[in-house]
Amino acid sequence: MSTPRTRGGRDWTPAYLLSINPELCIGCGRCFKVCGRNVMGLRGLNEDGVLVEDDEDDDEIVKRVMAMEDADACIGCGACARVCPTNCQTHGAA
Ligand code: SF4
Ligand code: SF4
């Protein structure tokens, strides 16, 4: 794989979104709005702290949180980290 570069040829180290802590996420959607790669999506969490599948009953949902939907699409721009008010995301190398 070639080394990532900016448009001007400068070194660029991507900071990929690796995980989102569902206990800290408040589901505000800020990260979703700034991401141009459809990496994340809002999901329901049940009382056991487990993500609820789309086709399950809404009654189970106690909270909505942002979750990784397509991690492989992330380009590591770091925009989501800059807008998150609870610091609940982890970024790093792929
Ligand atoms: S680092 Fe950039 S591309 Fe990756 S999830 Fe965050 S905003 Fe989207
Ligand atoms: S910006 Fe942070 S708190 Fe808000 S939905 Fe995204 S991960 Fe959750």
Side-chain angles (χ1 to χ4, degrees):
M1 195 189 292
S2 61
T3 306
R5 303 251 181 245
T6 68
R7 183 182 178 189
R10 298 174 197 159
D11 286 349
W12 160 247
T13 304
Y16 300 108
L17 178 62
L18 303 179
S19 64
I20 301 172
N21 184 336
E23 287 180 20
L24 297 178
C25 177
I26 57 172
C28 68
R30 291 180 196 179
C31 55
F32 181 84
K33 284 183 191 163
V34 298
C35 179
R37 302 288 301 172
N38 295 326
V39 175
M40 301 162 278
L42 212 51
R43 297 275 300 278
L45 206 67
N46 69 19
E47 62 182 3
D48 297 324
V50 176
L51 292 174
V52 173
E53 294 303 324
D54 289 342
D55 55 358
E56 286 186 59
D57 197 343
D58 272 9
D59 292 349
E60 263 193 66
I61 296 172
V62 294
K63 176 185 170 187
R64 290 194 187 273
V65 296
M66 203 57 70
M68 309 285 288
E69 296 283 5
D70 187 6
D72 287 351
C74 180
I75 58 172
C77 69
C80 51
R82 296 184 65 169
V83 297
C84 180
T86 65
N87 250 335
C88 62
Q89 305 170 350
T90 302
H91 292 74

